[in-house]
């Protein structure tokens, strides 16, 4: 099964194949700020994936030193996907909301649970990690 995630104006797209390797939500403060929401919902897909359109990039270094390269639309500002430096050929993390699919698989993991807003309740069966388990 192929899925396409796109920005609000539609010019930036990523097409992915198969089922996500993992679907997670992240409550870290950087993700809250980055998305403007109180948590990020991300799905990791194995390569190959196909990107079209123009993206502006922003690299953020995570707590464990990994460098994450976020791609967002320079026109409408939607954050669409990111890759980890050195792992571009292996997988991409796609913003779940960019699929515009309410039937998208629910998250299996919740990370940076220590930053979770107390009113956010996890779906039953979601495995919560205080920080990033990697
Ligand atoms: Zn756009
Ligand atoms: Zn995060």
């Amino acid at each position: 099964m192929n899925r396409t995630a796109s920005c609000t104006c539609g010019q930036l797209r990523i097409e992915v194949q198969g089922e996500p390797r993992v679907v997670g939500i992240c409550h870290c403060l950087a993700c809250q700020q980055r998305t403007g929401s109180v948590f990020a919902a991300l799905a990791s897909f194995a390569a190959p994936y196909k990107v079209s359109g123009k993206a502006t990039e922003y690299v953020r270094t995570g707590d464990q030193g990994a460098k994450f390269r976020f791609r967002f639309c320079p026109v409408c500002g939607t954050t669409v996907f990111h890759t980890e430096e050195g792992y571009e050929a292996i997988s991409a993390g796609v913003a779940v909301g960019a699929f515009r699919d309410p039937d998208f698989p629910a998250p299996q993991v919740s990370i940076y649970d220590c930053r979770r807003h107390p009113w956010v309740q996890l779906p039953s069966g979601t495995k919560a990690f205080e920080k990033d388990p990697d």
Side-chain angles (χ1 to χ4, degrees):
M1 177 181 187
N2 286 17
R3 291 184 173 93
T4 301
S6 62
C7 64
T8 311
C9 79
Q11 72 87 19
L12 177 60
R13 296 167 171 272
I14 180 169
E15 186 181 336
V16 291
Q17 301 178 1
E19 290 308 303
R21 304 191 314 169
V22 65
V23 182
I25 54 180
C26 183
H27 308 272
C28 84
L29 298 181
C31 281
Q32 295 195 25
Q33 213 169 25
R34 179 174 68 75
T35 60
S37 184
V38 294
F39 59 87
L42 295 162
S44 172
F45 283 89
Y49 51 87
K50 201 171 82 192
V51 177
S52 60
K54 277 197 172 54
T56 297
E57 302 185 351
Y58 178 74
V59 177
R60 185 173 67 76
T61 303
D63 289 349
Q64 273 102 344
K67 287 187 161 52
F68 299 103
R69 186 176 294 271
F70 290 91
R71 313 306 206 293
F72 56 97
C73 174
V75 180
C76 70
T78 306
T79 176
V80 179
F81 70 100
H82 76 275
T83 52
E84 185 176 341
E85 250 170 43
Y87 297 90
E88 294 84 355
I90 296 169
S91 66
V94 186
V96 170
F99 289 105
R100 300 204 307 166
D101 175 12
D103 294 323
F104 197 88
Q108 298 120 322
V109 297
S110 170
I111 69 171
Y112 280 95
D113 215 63
C114 62
R115 302 291 195 208
R116 178 165 54 86
H117 286 229
W119 55 264
V120 174
Q121 304 294 310
L122 302 178
S124 66
T126 307
K127 194 165 164 36
F129 297 91
E130 267 305 279
K131 291 195 166 170
D132 187 340
D134 290 339

